[in-house]
Amino acid sequence: KPVIAIVGRPNVGKSTIFNRIVGERISIVEDVSGVTRDRIYADGEWLGKEFNIIDTGGIDIGDEPFLEQIKQQAEIAMDEADVIIFITSGRESVTDADENVAKMLYRTKKPVLLAVNKIDNPEMRNDVFDFYSLGLGEPYPISGSHGLGLGDLLDAAIGHFPEETEEEYDDSVIKFSLIGRPNVGKSSLVNAILGEERVIVSDIAGTTRDAIDTEFVSADGTEFVMIDTAGMRKRGKVYETTEKYSVLRALRAIERSDVVLVVLDAETGIREQDKKVAGYAHEAGRGIIIVVNKWDTLEKDNSTMKKFEEDIRESFAYLSYAPIVYVSAKTKQRLNTLPDVIQRVSMSQNLRIQSAVLNDVIMDAVAMNPTPTDKGKRLKIYYATQVAIKPPTFVIFVNEPEMLHFSYSRFLENRIRDAFTFEGTPIRIIARQRK
Ligand code: GDP
């Protein structure tokens, strides 16, 4: 998907505009993983064109001076985005900081759209003329808080999207990536895995700038592509210093993957940061495997693995479906089991259940645990059908969709999981009113 990045100095309204553009799409996703709160990266759609949008203002640069921070944010936008939206405020005249951002943006060959925010009513439109002086063409008057002018701005943005590129790989090829916080051993795992496997094409200069793809075939002939973003970190200053920026690259890898390996570090244990990116993979509906690396560093007794698993299940409650593999990039312990697990999870992602069989399971579930009632009315389930794979998605036709609460939906999910093998994949249940 094309990427739009929002840049600009603080307080011009970047995150308001980000939220406007992303709109309800965020709030409909239940925030089980806690990733939606301070989101800086999200899916958007305009006139049927899908894109990703980044609020660079939310990228944590550390304690750099103010000007340095906005420069680095602009730098990231120029690296990552297909279209850059530069936001200024019509409530003030052009500031030095605006001019500094503009000067940075002159260097990019990418399309830059200049938006003047806080133009809350038509009388204020004359205030935008000052902004021609930034030398970035015609300013778009917008109001983030009132939702004005965003349509024209987005029309222009999607008009600059690059031609759509075909997916590079066959459907039969399983694409996976390794994500995790710095130093959990992603790069070491990448090298160790590739050391074990028969690489057919290495270091394909992929269509993306921020990952290295390597194709290999496992012993049983299954083809895989490993999408590696870990090794890219050492490229430049920004890549080292900006923690959230590496999250961005992980997110784009997640998007291209069928299966995501969430790498944890056995030596340090689970950290808050581990939960964040795993949450994105879950919300994106990808297959997920939890890989506990550096297993060699622990003094083990017969309860070590069990204790670690309990920790994981508690910290990642929403990932109860994800298999856990304990490995060591250093000693290569159990690395050879990974292709099999990845393949199984990929199969779960692609599993289709026949409606007749599915409905038997649902009706048994309802018989076992009656549907909820509200004000004397009972939720009635008429029929269920699988409407999608990757992730498997089920529509349940009911009398009152709002009555299919989270807890009952979770119960149905568990029954479906008991009946079929959905190892490592989220599944989605959507209630629809029967017409
Ligand atoms: P990344 O930031 O996630 O890519 O992590 P690296 O692959 O750069 O590894 C970080 C550090 O952990 C390096 O010093 C590695 O040598 C070390 N490391 C990686 N995997 C293992 C492992 O399985 N066991 C041990 N003992 N050390 C490891």
Side-chain angles (χ1 to χ4, degrees), residues 128-145:
V128 309
F129 293 113
D130 279 355
F131 291 85
Y132 274 104
S133 71
L134 287 173
L136 291 167
E138 184 174 337
Y140 289 81
I142 61 171
S143 165
S145 49

Side-chain angles (χ1 to χ4, degrees), residues 176 178 189-197 216 226 261 335 338:
F176 72 96
L178 292 87
L189 279 171
V190 164
N191 293 327
I193 292 170
L194 293 180
E196 302 268 287
E197 301 296 337
F216 67 87
M226 178 152 70
L261 277 52
L335 284 185
L338 281 175

Side-chain angles (χ1 to χ4, degrees), residues 182-188 233 293-294 296-297 328-330:
N183 288 318
V184 294
K186 296 179 297 296
S187 310
S188 311
R233 187 177 59 251
N293 187 37
K294 308 194 192 179
D296 60 288
T297 60
S328 165
K330 192 173 169 191

Side-chain angles (χ1 to χ4, degrees), residues 292-331:
V292 182
N293 187 37
K294 308 194 192 179
W295 198 240
D296 60 288
T297 60
L298 296 192
E299 286 280 353
K300 287 176 280 286
D301 59 40
N302 48 21
S303 68
T304 310
M305 203 179 269
K306 190 162 156 277
K307 281 210 199 94
F308 216 98
E309 164 149 16
E310 279 166 9
D311 269 4
I312 291 173
R313 294 306 179 200
E314 194 180 306
S315 301
F316 301 89
Y318 54 94
L319 293 184
S320 54
Y321 54 81
I324 305 172
V325 187
Y326 301 85
V327 304
S328 165
K330 192 173 169 191
T331 67

